[in-house]
């Protein structure tokens, strides 16, 4: 019998098996501003596209460690490919776990679980409560992965008689709508420095009816399906693990490329190779060690929380703060590694079409995301200090 661990390891292997294809297609994805059909088709053929889903939605429910290693591998291959991994895979994971049975039947079962989903979960829309659902109007930016998605996720505030709903004092109700592609208006705003191949278009809706069955709460931790601890931890930890892993993967690609380049790299007026220079050797040792330490911190924070939930314990504010702080720290370390690699590579890092050049642009685009901002680190620290009891957004 195949163990859960073996199945999860196969997900990492599936991602690794795409290296040659992604290398060949990366430039075309950038030109198209969304992943090529060849990459998307292979994600489905390999099982990667649905792998993180609950079993009922065609997935294998990998552990956090396996998800993290998969994302690192994808981002190591190409930043845009890795970003799709942290956009499409968590989106379908959440919809598969948290949609009601009727909504799941419409979105997943009716399509034999062949469902790609992307979008923006932040509540930038308003849903007027009507009989059977909501009339949704809103505008969302950076809808990652929607260039090839059949369904688009859109976060919104329910509005009941013109008033917001409140879950508790200071916490509004926030929902996620799952909308068929043909009901979305796409706005051509994805002209950016990096992550060009992610199809992260702006989009909007105007008074679109969304049945209640195709919505779920943004911060829900009670799955309708799925047995892995991740399904009982909610979308925020999965998203945080994705951001940390993505940054680590892109940084590792740059460190690996610089290490390979060093033996043959000679700077102008310097007769010694880059690899023979003590300053480069010290820098490489420092940044590789920093990268490894950040990876271990991420694994520790997320697997510790995962083990607590698996044992039936509460996902406490401290555990959530630990995960989010680890993601911010890993992102900061990864950015530092990328900057160092870019500088020591010299002119080799500025030539268009090289992985070093593309990875550098991707790093400084992806790390602008609010999900790994200093505000998140401050919220985590305030929980550790006892200044606040909780922050619902963590």
């Amino acid at each position: 019998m195949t163990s859960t661990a073996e199945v999860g390891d196969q997900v990492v292997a599936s991602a690794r098996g795409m290296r040659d294809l992604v290398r060949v297609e990366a430039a075309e994805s950038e030109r198209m501003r969304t992943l090529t059909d060849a990459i998307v088709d292979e994600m489905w053929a390999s099982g990667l596209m649905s792998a993180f889903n609950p079993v009922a939605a065609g997935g294998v429910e990998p552990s956090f460690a396996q998800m993290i290693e998969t994302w690192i591998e994808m981002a190591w291959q190409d930043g845009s490919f890795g970003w799709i991994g942290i956009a499409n895979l968590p989106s379908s994971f959440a919809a598969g776990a948290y949609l009601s049975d009727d909504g799941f039947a419409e979105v997943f079962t009716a399509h034999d679980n062949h469902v790609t989903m992307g979008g923006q979960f932040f509540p930038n829309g308003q849903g007027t409560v009507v009989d059977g659902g909501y009339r949704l109007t809103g505008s969302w930016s950076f809808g990652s992965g929607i260039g090839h998605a059949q369904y688009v996720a859109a976060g919104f505030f329910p509005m009941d008689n013109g008033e917001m709903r409140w879950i508790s004092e200071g916490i509004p109700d926030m929902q996620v709508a799952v909308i068929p592609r043909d009901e979305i208006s796409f706005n051509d705003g994805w002209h950016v420095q990096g992550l060009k191949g992610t199809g992260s278009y702006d989009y909007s809706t105007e008074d679109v009816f969304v049945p209640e069955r195709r919505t779920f709460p943004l911060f829900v931790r009670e799955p309708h399906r799925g047995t892995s601890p991740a399904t009982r931890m909610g979308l925020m930890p999965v998203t945080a693990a994705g951001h940390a892993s993505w940054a680590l993967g892109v940084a590792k690609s740059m460190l690996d490329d610089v290490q390979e380049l060093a033996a043959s790299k000679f700077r102008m007026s310097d007769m010694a190779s880059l690899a023979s220079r003590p300053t480069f050797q010290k820098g490489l040792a420092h940044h590789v060690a920093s990268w490894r330490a950040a990876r271990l911190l991420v694994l520790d924070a997320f697997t510790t929380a995962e083990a607590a939930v698996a044992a039936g314990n509460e996902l406490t504010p401290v555990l959530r703060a630990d995960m989010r702080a680890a993601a911010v720290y890993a992102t900061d370390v990864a950015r530092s590694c990328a900057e160092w690699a870019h500088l020591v590579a010299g002119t080799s890092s500025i030539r268009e079409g090289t992985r070093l050049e593309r990875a550098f642009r991707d790093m400084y685009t992806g790390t602008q995301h609010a999900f790994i901002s200093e505000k998140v680190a401050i919220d985590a620290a305030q929980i550790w200090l006892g200044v606040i009891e909780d922050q619902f957004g963590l």
Side-chain angles (χ1 to χ4, degrees):
M1 178 180 293
T2 304
S3 69
T4 302
E6 288 174 326
V7 170
D9 290 342
Q10 289 171 9
V11 178
V12 183
S14 294
R16 191 172 295 121
M18 294 191 64
R19 285 186 174 187
D20 290 343
L21 176 64
V22 171
R23 176 179 53 80
V24 170
E25 296 285 321
E28 182 63 9
S29 290
E30 283 220 326
R31 189 192 68 78
M32 293 174 55
R33 293 181 293 128
T34 190
L35 282 194
T36 64
D37 290 344
I39 294 178
V40 174
D41 290 347
E42 184 57 28
M43 289 181 72
W44 277 112
S46 67
L48 184 59
M49 188 69 86
S50 60
F52 289 12
N53 289 1
V55 171
V60 298
E61 302 186 33
S63 68
F64 262 102
Q66 291 157 342
M67 287 191 284
I68 288 165
E69 295 301 340
T70 300
W71 279 320
I72 289 175
E73 169 63 29
M74 294 176 72
W76 179 88
Q77 294 177 33
D78 173 59
S80 288
F81 180 52
W83 197 263
I84 289 301
I86 71 170
N88 289 149
L89 275 57
S91 295
S92 58
F93 156 87
Y98 305 125
L99 281 174
S100 68
D101 288 344
D102 287 346
F104 181 82
E106 178 183 350
V107 174
F108 286 90
T109 307
H111 298 95
D112 295 324
N113 292 330
H114 196 285
V115 176
T116 310
M117 192 175 303
Q120 160 73 260
F121 284 71
F122 191 80
N124 281 335
Q126 293 188 350
T128 301
V129 178
V130 296
D131 186 31
Y134 307 90
R135 305 294 309 189
L136 181 61
T137 297
S139 180
W140 296 263
S141 299
F142 310 128
S144 296
I146 61 177
H148 53 267
Q150 296 114 301
Y151 282 89
V152 176
F156 70 97
F157 293 110
M159 304 296 291
D160 204 342
N161 294 320
E163 299 290 334
M164 291 177 61
R165 289 177 174 174
W166 297 88
I167 297 174
S168 59
E169 185 176 354
I171 302 178
D173 186 10
M174 289 173 272
Q175 297 282 325
V176 178
V178 176
I179 308 171
R181 183 182 190 85
D182 60 8
E183 297 179 16
I184 295 288
S185 297
F186 294 96
N187 309 311
D188 190 16
W190 193 236
H191 298 272
V192 286
Q193 176 187 29
L195 294 179
K196 292 184 177 183
T198 59
S200 300
Y201 309 140
D202 297 344
Y203 60 101
S204 59
T205 60
E206 182 66 38
D207 199 35
V208 170
F209 176 70
V210 181
E212 187 173 8
R213 65 178 179 274
R214 277 200 272 109
T215 66
F216 59 88
L218 177 58
F219 295 109
V220 65
R221 295 189 202 124
E222 299 172 0
H224 289 280
R225 57 203 64 82
T227 60
S228 70
T231 62
R232 302 195 301 279
M233 295 168 69
L235 185 57
M236 297 303 109
V238 174
T239 302
H243 276 276
S245 306
W246 177 86
L248 288 170
V250 174
K252 188 175 191 301
S253 78
M254 296 188 72
L255 292 174
D256 289 350
D257 287 358
V258 163
Q259 185 172 338
E260 182 179 348
L261 173 70
S264 59
K265 177 70 177 180
F266 291 81
R267 302 299 295 268
M268 185 178 295
S269 302
D270 192 344
M271 298 303 293
S273 69
L274 187 60
S276 67
R277 294 169 57 183
T279 52
F280 172 79
Q281 295 164 0
K282 179 180 181 296
L284 181 66
H286 171 76
H287 287 93
V288 169
S290 297
W291 185 93
R292 291 175 180 174
R295 171 184 170 274
L296 289 175
L297 174 64
V298 169
L299 286 168
D300 177 72
F302 285 88
T303 58
T304 295
E306 179 182 43
V309 172
N313 298 319
E314 179 188 358
L315 185 64
T316 65
V318 170
L319 287 172
R320 287 165 35 231
D322 289 350
M323 288 185 285
R324 294 298 296 275
V328 173
Y329 178 78
T331 301
D332 289 345
V333 168
R335 189 190 298 112
S336 176
C337 290
E339 181 181 13
W340 175 81
H342 176 78
L343 288 173
V344 297
T347 55
S348 297
S349 65
I350 65 172
R351 297 193 180 278
E352 288 186 358
T354 65
R355 193 167 75 148
L356 268 171
E357 183 265 343
R358 186 171 63 246
F360 185 74
R361 288 188 287 104
D362 289 344
M363 178 65 76
Y364 276 84
T365 300
T367 56
Q368 293 284 6
H369 203 288
F371 206 83
I372 32 79
S373 69
E374 66 174 11
K375 169 66 165 60
V376 176
I378 292 168
D379 288 341
Q382 289 185 345
I383 288 174
W384 294 339
L385 291 166
V387 175
I388 58 175
E389 291 185 5
D390 198 359
Q391 215 301 334
F392 71 88
L394 290 179

